[in-house]
Amino acid sequence: MKRARGTGPLSRFGWVMLGAIVVGVGGFLSMVSFGSGGVVVPDAPAPKASGVAGRSAALVMPVAGYPVARLHHDWGDPREGGARRHEGLDIMAPAGTPVVAAFTGTVEKLFDSARGGHTLYIRSPDQRWSLYYAHLQGYAPGLAEGQRVGQGQVVGYVGDSGNAGAGNTHLHFGVSWMRAGDSWYQGEAVDPYPLLAGKIASR
């Protein structure tokens, strides 16, 4: 008795379709790497400046008692005759005014440089953000690298060290988005103004 066309284990069309499926699956698997290290996710771009290091990291003013209304948005202003752009916020205040931790974190580095003078770096608990303080007159008594500081805790004092210029007392305040493995001097600078003032000032 003749078999009806298309019946039996597999018809010719069925074999062709099965072959196509096998080739397709093989091609897909060749593009996927299964290693012991797990999935590698590339670094994400810095998030929008709507908050730092989660809900707990809304920044407080880094210069004690300084009113938000007095902030001047100077991010991107030319420096050194246009050779570079300003990547921070200059907060003008009298010498010796207390400077505080804008969020809770760890003192990652105390560093003296020709440009920044007495500087201080604080890293957020999740390691994703860093605060930079420059031109300090000095540090709070007992402050040390590796020390945990609370939001609002005094960490230093406004000064004119580094290239600030004698009598030009102010705090240079910087915020950086840190990628995995970034050291204290690395990271991507983020405009601090909207983090403190909640909006971009008209220039």
Side-chain angles (χ1 to χ4, degrees):
M1 185 171 77
K2 282 188 176 181
R3 241 179 223 162
R5 177 176 288 183
T7 62
L10 275 178
S11 65
R12 180 178 294 177
F13 177 76
W15 281 109
V16 171
M17 290 303 296
L18 179 62
I21 291 170
V22 169
V23 170
V25 171
F28 172 76
L29 292 177
S30 69
M31 294 185 293
V32 178
S33 174
F34 296 94
S36 59
V39 179
V40 176
V41 180
D43 282 325
K48 293 181 180 178
S50 57
V52 175
R55 291 181 303 173
S56 64
L59 299 183
V60 299
M61 188 65 66
V63 175
Y66 197 90
V68 171
R70 284 186 57 197
L71 289 175
H72 173 65
H73 187 219
D74 56 357
W75 170 270
D77 284 357
R79 292 290 188 269
E80 297 176 3
R84 62 184 180 89
R85 296 283 180 178
H86 190 229
E87 294 188 337
L89 187 66
D90 285 343
I91 303 175
M92 312 306 293
T97 303
V99 168
V100 305
F103 60 45
T104 295
T106 301
V107 176
E108 186 168 34
K109 190 71 176 178
L110 303 177
F111 184 71
D112 285 338
S113 70
R115 181 179 286 173
H118 303 312
T119 65
L120 162 69
Y121 296 78
I122 298 175
R123 184 77 73 106
S124 65
D126 64 6
Q127 303 293 301
R128 295 173 62 192
W129 295 93
S130 178
L131 303 179
Y132 171 58
Y133 299 76
H135 308 308
L136 297 173
Q137 183 183 76
Y139 306 115
L143 194 74
E145 292 179 6
Q147 178 182 340
R148 185 173 175 83
V149 291
Q151 187 177 54
Q153 179 178 336
V154 175
V155 293
Y157 304 93
V158 171
D160 59 2
S161 60
N163 66 359
N168 184 30
T169 59
H170 69 282
L171 172 69
H172 171 93
F173 179 67
V175 177
S176 291
W177 161 251
M178 310 296 282
R179 293 178 170 81
D182 277 353
S183 189
W184 58 273
Y185 57 88
Q186 297 174 311
E188 179 181 337
V190 174
D191 185 356
Y193 185 91
L195 298 174
L196 294 175
K199 59 183 176 62
I200 296 296
S202 57
R203 300 299 297 268

